[in-house]
Amino acid sequence: VDGREISAFAGESVAAALLGAGIRALRETGREHEPRGLFCGMGVCFDCLVSVDGLPNLRACMTPVAEGMRVETRRS
Amino acid sequence: VKQESFDLVVVGAGPAGISAAVEASRWGVSVALVDENPAPGGNIYRQPPKEFAPLAPSAGERGAALRRALDASPVRRFPETTVWGAFRPDVLEAVRGGDSFALEGRFVIVAAGAYDRPVPVPGWTLPGVLTVGGAQTLLKGQRMLPGRRILFAGTGPLLLVVAAQYAEAGAEIVAVADAARIGSLAGHVPGLLSAPALLRDGMRYRWRLLRRRVPWLSQSVLLRVEGRGEVESASIVQIDDSGQRRTGTERRFEVDTVCVGYGLVPSVELLQLLGCALRYDEAAACWIPRRNDDFETSVPSVFAVGDGAGVAGAVVAADEGRVAGLAVARALGRIGPPEAQRLQRPLRRRLRRLARFRAAMEAAYGLPQHLLDGVTADTIVCRCEEVRRREIDEAIGDGALTPAQLKAWTRVGMGPCQGRMCSLPVAELLSRSTERPIAELGPPSVRPPVKPVPIGALTDTD
């Protein structure tokens, strides 16, 4: 995550893995640069968007973690 | 683009979708069952991933029975698949990962489920504020709590259930702020007794909270959330019987997490895209599809079942799914009309009884009036596009008369959630300012994609 290594349980969502590592702010908004985190938790609100292995705007709540996955927060 | 054809395509693998798919396939109907999640069950029967199996208790008998029935059926499953559009009511555009394809169905059953009603308050965009549904998903699906000190606020059965589950999981709950009056159920006993088992479940959850001495504050609503970068505190305020805020009753709690849930609203976006007519349900304060006795919408051969057609819970959802599945089997000639009717009759009877229970619950846990009084000029209403109430009021002052005009002028509802998180509060603000009922303003406009898809998935040329 953002260059830092975190551990996660197999099968966990990216959102849960990051939460477990104490990372609650998952992105920064485009207009006012405010932090956002997990909100609806079920794929509806699109507020937990992160990039995964270079693919932008994936829902952290709907994306399962994988070994060696590179997750970037912040940039929207 | 690849295309596969089926007699029936079911969207949503919660209790309604699974029941519809299994029932139809029992009569020889070829069925595709599409869902965004890796495993079937929907949010209600959500289970941890299979890797968690050694420590995961089952999600209950009803969910397990549905899954067994699905496993034993020839239904073709499309997990982790998002339906993002439809340019004809019988061809659904889908994407799985980076892979794009179309599913053709002579019949379509939409069982898209529901999500928490969005209720904006100052600070509701801070990390650490979650919907109650999201909080439950995290606990049920990931065996995880989102924080240490938690305030619950909202109303309705889900608030009670999730607060109780969190208390049992060891969360420190500073309080549960419930908008409903204490004993609000008492006035509706006859209706509630039409489903004694559900009433008993509710009492059990209430008892679990009492036993753990979780403070239950009735007639209280969330006022604001504060913090630098994430949640640090949250305030609630008492309301009177008419829903007005009582001055001097504010209470502030130091918390790191707020779980908020003022009931669920149906996910109707795909139905809208398919051209299904909606009507505004005043009692439930949301848009629902118009349906006939078989749960067929205004578009022939498109059906809508479960919470996505009107929030009524998992038992109703499963029965509606079976009624619709039988209707499709009958329309395809796989089952005779008398036989279909014989099988539908007991389901309809039970649905009528549960409708009485639902009406009583709606009356007891009705959405409080003036809930949007907490939306200050500075409050973000549209989370995606960061549109504050001030900008919406200005647009209304400049003459915006419809949700579509507001969208075009301020960008509310234009972001990736496609208005799911703001269209209802925006409609209510517009309705109050223009003194026109929401039913008259019309539903929010919807266009594809109803869920964002990566452009690469659509331009793939292989």
Side-chain angles (χ1 to χ4, degrees), chain B residues 106-129:
Chain B
R106 294 169 67 184
F107 290 83
V108 171
I109 296 182
V110 179
Y115 52 86
D116 294 81
R117 171 187 301 280
V119 178
V121 296
W124 74 312
T125 54
L126 284 170
V129 180

Side-chain angles (χ1 to χ4, degrees), chain B residues 130-153:
Chain B
L130 277 87
T131 67
V132 161
Q136 190 186 41
T137 299
L138 198 61
L139 180 61
K140 276 204 286 199
Q142 307 285 331
R143 293 284 177 262
M144 187 146 190
L145 298 174
R148 294 186 200 286
R149 280 174 59 83
I150 307 177
L151 172 73
F152 277 81

Side-chain angles (χ1 to χ4, degrees), chain B residues 164-220:
Chain B
Q165 289 171 339
Y166 264 55
E168 304 231 302
E172 184 190 349
I173 302 176
V174 296
V176 180
D178 183 1
R181 247 179 324 141
I182 211 149
S184 61
L185 291 174
H188 307 280
V189 169
L192 295 172
L193 284 177
S194 43
L198 293 177
L199 185 60
R200 199 175 53 232
D201 282 355
M203 309 282 248
R204 210 172 278 150
Y205 284 116
R206 191 77 182 80
W207 167 244
R208 288 196 212 164
L209 279 173
L210 278 173
R211 207 178 48 197
R212 286 167 197 278
R213 301 183 201 286
V214 173
W216 189 275
L217 308 172
S218 61
Q219 288 193 292
S220 300

Side-chain angles (χ1 to χ4, degrees), chain B residues 218-443:
Chain B
S218 61
Q219 288 193 292
S220 300
V221 297
L222 186 63
L223 184 62
R224 77 176 81 84
V225 184
E226 290 166 299
R228 282 156 308 173
E230 59 181 293
V231 175
E232 288 171 0
S233 73
S235 303
I236 59 171
V237 64
Q238 287 178 20
I239 53 172
D240 62 22
D241 287 348
S242 70
Q244 302 272 12
R245 275 125 222 269
R246 295 172 54 196
T247 46
T249 62
E250 230 182 284
R251 279 183 71 177
R252 188 165 164 275
F253 298 91
E254 307 253 318
V255 290
D256 57 36
T257 302
V258 179
C259 296
V260 55
Y262 288 92
L264 301 174
V265 293
S267 191
V268 293
E269 299 78 18
L270 181 58
L271 291 168
Q272 277 186 273
L273 203 62
L274 293 169
C276 306
L278 304 184
R279 69 178 178 85
Y280 192 71
D281 180 342
E282 296 285 347
C286 59
W287 293 94
I288 57 171
R290 293 183 183 279
R291 302 185 293 170
N292 68 15
D293 283 349
D294 284 330
F295 307 120
E296 191 172 16
T297 67
S298 65
V299 177
S301 76
V302 176
F303 294 70
V305 292
D307 278 1
V311 176
V315 180
V316 169
D319 284 353
E320 287 191 358
R322 287 189 63 198
V323 168
L326 285 162
V328 168
R330 184 194 62 213
L332 287 164
R334 311 289 161 78
I335 178 174
E339 177 73 350
Q341 203 178 17
R342 189 184 65 77
L343 291 166
Q344 283 178 332
R345 200 175 298 125
L347 299 168
R348 292 189 203 282
R349 200 178 302 128
R350 186 156 69 167
L351 283 170
R352 275 196 298 275
R353 192 161 50 77
L354 288 168
R356 290 197 292 276
F357 179 79
R358 178 186 163 195
M361 287 293 277
E362 262 173 14
Y365 285 121
L367 196 64
Q369 297 287 308
H370 312 290
L371 196 54
L372 295 188
D373 284 1
V375 188
T376 59
D378 213 28
T379 305
I380 287 176
V381 176
C382 169
R383 299 173 63 97
C384 297
E385 296 293 324
E386 301 174 83
V387 182
R388 293 175 193 273
R389 174 168 187 178
R390 183 184 308 108
E391 297 164 73
I392 291 165
D393 286 343
E394 278 166 12
I396 295 170
D398 288 345
L401 286 170
T402 64
Q405 278 173 334
L406 272 181
K407 184 171 172 177
W409 295 4
T410 68
R411 299 191 58 82
V412 284
M414 274 214 195
C417 91
Q418 284 285 295
R420 288 172 176 84
M421 291 294 124
C422 69
S423 63
L424 284 171
V426 165
E428 199 180 324
L429 292 174
L430 184 62
S431 158
R432 278 207 260 162
S433 299
T434 58
E435 290 176 6
R436 291 169 65 206
I438 294 178
E440 207 178 285
L441 295 171

Side-chain angles (χ1 to χ4, degrees), chain A residues 10-13 16 19-20 24 29-32 34-47 59 62, chain B residues 36 43 49 51-52 125 127-131 133-134 137 142 144 146 230 256-257 383 385-386 388 391 420 451-452:
Chain A
E12 226 178 0
S13 72
L19 206 52
R24 299 180 104 189
T29 58
R31 195 170 158 188
E32 303 188 5
E34 286 188 336
R36 293 288 171 86
L38 186 67
F39 181 65
C40 84
M42 53 177 85
V44 180
C45 77
F46 290 83
D47 237 339
R59 289 169 285 178
M62 301 292 282
Chain B
E36 286 203 289
N43 285 315
E51 290 87 344
F52 285 31
T125 54
V129 180
L130 277 87
T131 67
T137 299
Q142 307 285 331
M144 187 146 190
E230 59 181 293
D256 57 36
T257 302
R383 299 173 63 97
E385 296 293 324
E386 301 174 83
R388 293 175 193 273
E391 297 164 73
R420 288 172 176 84
K451 294 219 172 173

Side-chain angles (χ1 to χ4, degrees), chain A residues 14 26 48-60 63-64 69-73 75-76, chain B residues 95-99 452-457:
Chain A
V14 168
L26 299 175
C48 64
L49 301 179
V50 293
S51 24
V52 175
D53 295 333
L55 225 68
N57 300 331
L58 289 181
R59 289 169 285 178
T63 309
M69 184 181 254
R70 283 179 301 113
V71 177
E72 279 162 81
T73 68
R75 296 171 50 89
S76 51
Chain B
V95 59
R96 180 181 184 176
D99 204 21
V453 271
I455 288 292

